[in-house]
């Protein structure tokens, strides 16, 4: 059931856990996500990452939104429609018009005041349309650099987080506490103390990016200390890529393309039903 992301985050907050948002690109991934969520009876958020997909002509916000809306009709669990990392305000407005109930304006690389001003501008538009905004303070970098995840200078500072939330009117905040995007070269160590302080200083749901490869025990800690949305992308895409390889190169190279979707959806669902157990709803 299509449900506003803000509502899903409230449900997660009340349950003292996190909903998982998966980056996804097409019908196979979206279908597998909503049906895996239905199977385990947990909410899920479908996230379009413009840099991965829309800007490479793989899909558009309008098409993505329609696929999610239609798939969500087939299940009873809450399904959210979210635009991940975007700095292009025109593109965000397009997504809002297409029905995304939450958009992430990522001003994390901008100076503090500029991040606030741009986030506020997006929030004003989104709120007028009944949608919500996720912002980022501090910067969640790339796992491949190793130094990004360990660089405390990039971490979110609890004292300014409160000011940022208040002035930007954002509805959810992505925090930098030791995670990074992509496959980790070194096991990350989330700064739970900092997270606890940010959570105490703010009253909105917090978001953890860079979900691929964070040990489960650290996630349990993070989810009970304020993280209500958890983003996963890289490992889900890697699995999907491997399924293509396996299907076309190794396994059934003679069977054409028509059976691939069912094969991929079933395999993706195995991963997803397992991963969704991290959400303690
Ligand atoms: P990973 O690709 O590292 O799983 O992170 C996903 C993410 O944070 C998307 O916003």
């Amino acid at each position: 059931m299509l449900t506003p992301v803000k509502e899903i985050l409230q449900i997660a907050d009340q349950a003292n856990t996190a909903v998982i948002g998966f980056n996804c690109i097409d019908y196979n991934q979206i279908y597998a996500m909503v049906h895996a969520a239905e199977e385990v009876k947990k909410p899920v958020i479908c996230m379009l990452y413009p840099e991965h997909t829309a800007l490479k002509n793989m899909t558009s916000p309008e098409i993505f939104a329609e696929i999610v809306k239609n798939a969500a009709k087939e299940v009873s669990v809450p399904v959210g429609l979210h635009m991940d990392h975007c700095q292009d305000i025109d593109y965000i407005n397009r997504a809002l018009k297409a029905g995304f109930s939450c958009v992430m304006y990522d001003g994390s690389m901008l100076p503090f005041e500029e991040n606030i001003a741009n986030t506020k501008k997006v929030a004003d538009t989104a709120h007028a349309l009944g949608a919500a905004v996720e912002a980022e303070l501090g910067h969640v970098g790339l796992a491949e650099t190793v130094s990004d995840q360990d660089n405390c200078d990039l971490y979110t500072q609890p004292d300014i987080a409160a000011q940022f939330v208040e002035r930007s009117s954002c509805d959810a905040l992505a925090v930098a506490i030791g995670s990074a995007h992509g496959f980790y070269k070194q096991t990350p160590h989330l700064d739970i103390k900092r997270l606890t302080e940010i959570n105490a200083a703010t009253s909105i749901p917090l978001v953890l990016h860079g979900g691929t490869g964070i040990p489960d025990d650290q996630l349990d800690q993070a989810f009970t200390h304020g993280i209500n949305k958890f983003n996963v992308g890289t490992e889900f895409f890697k699995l999907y890529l491997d399924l293509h390889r396996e299907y076309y190169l190794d396994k059934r190279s003679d069977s054409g393309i028509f059976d691939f979707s069912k094969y991929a959806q079933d395999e993706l669902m195995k991963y997803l039903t397992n991963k969704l157990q991290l959400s303690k709803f």
Side-chain angles (χ1 to χ4, degrees):
M1 183 176 49
L2 192 71
T3 306
V5 169
K6 195 167 175 175
E7 233 173 81
I8 300 178
L9 296 184
Q10 278 161 2
I11 299 169
D13 189 28
Q14 278 156 17
N16 210 22
T17 190
V19 56
I20 308 186
F22 292 95
N23 293 124
C24 46
I25 56 171
D26 68 3
Y27 180 75
N28 290 331
Q29 286 187 304
I30 292 168
Y31 178 94
M33 279 169 64
V34 304
H35 286 276
E38 181 76 351
E39 197 171 307
V40 297
K41 294 277 168 259
K42 294 176 195 279
V44 74
I45 297 177
C46 301
M47 306 197 299
L48 176 67
Y49 194 154
E51 200 179 305
H52 282 164
T53 54
L55 302 181
K56 292 184 177 155
N57 213 22
M58 291 189 77
T59 185
S60 68
E62 293 81 11
I63 291 170
F64 187 91
E66 286 312 308
I67 298 174
V68 173
K69 286 181 205 171
N70 276 288
K73 280 184 199 155
E74 296 169 7
V75 298
S76 60
V77 290
V79 174
L81 171 59
H82 174 85
M83 163 87 58
D84 202 11
H85 297 278
C86 192
Q87 283 138 359
D88 179 340
I89 293 184
D90 289 339
Y91 202 81
I92 286 178
N93 290 341
R94 205 173 131 186
L96 289 169
K97 217 170 133 198
F100 281 71
S101 65
C102 190
V103 290
M104 179 187 189
Y105 174 73
D106 181 357
S108 63
M109 294 298 275
L110 298 174
F112 184 63
E113 290 297 332
E114 211 177 322
N115 190 3
I116 289 181
N118 291 358
T119 303
K120 177 82 171 73
K121 191 170 164 192
V122 173
D124 287 347
T125 311
H127 293 165
L129 292 166
V133 173
E134 178 181 328
E136 180 166 325
L137 182 66
H139 180 65
V140 180
L142 300 175
E144 66 188 15
T145 65
V146 180
S147 56
D148 270 7
Q149 74 199 61
D150 292 339
N151 184 355
C152 296
D153 291 345
L154 297 176
Y155 286 12
T156 310
Q157 293 174 26
D159 51 338
I160 66 165
Q163 195 197 135
F164 181 87
V165 169
E166 168 87 27
R167 290 176 58 204
S168 71
S169 304
C170 65
D171 304 279
L173 185 68
V175 291
I177 54 166
S179 66
H181 296 99
F183 285 117
Y184 292 99
K185 291 195 168 144
Q186 273 173 23
T187 306
H189 296 285
L190 299 182
D191 187 342
I192 300 296
K193 181 171 174 286
R194 183 183 296 263
L195 173 63
T196 309
E197 287 166 12
I198 300 167
N199 194 32
T202 57
S203 55
I204 58 170
L206 304 176
V207 184
L208 183 64
H209 283 241
T212 296
I214 301 175
D216 288 358
D217 59 329
Q218 293 192 44
L219 292 176
D220 284 342
Q221 286 274 313
F223 294 0
T224 50
H225 288 86
I227 295 297
N228 296 132
K229 175 169 173 277
F230 173 55
N231 286 13
V232 178
T234 302
E235 68 183 27
F236 190 39
F237 286 132
K238 172 72 168 60
L239 170 62
Y240 196 30
L241 173 66
D242 287 347
L243 291 174
H244 282 84
R245 284 204 177 107
E246 204 174 285
Y247 184 86
Y248 289 113
L249 299 179
D250 305 340
K251 257 192 175 168
R252 313 185 194 174
S253 47
D254 295 332
S255 70
I257 58 172
F258 301 111
D259 296 331
F260 175 73
S261 285
K262 181 77 175 69
Y263 165 74
Q265 289 162 10
D266 288 349
E267 293 300 317
L268 292 172
M269 276 184 68
K270 287 181 198 160
Y271 157 81
L272 289 160
T273 49
N274 182 44
K275 195 79 185 174
L276 284 164
Q277 298 303 335
L278 286 168
S279 288
K280 304 282 189 261
F281 287 96

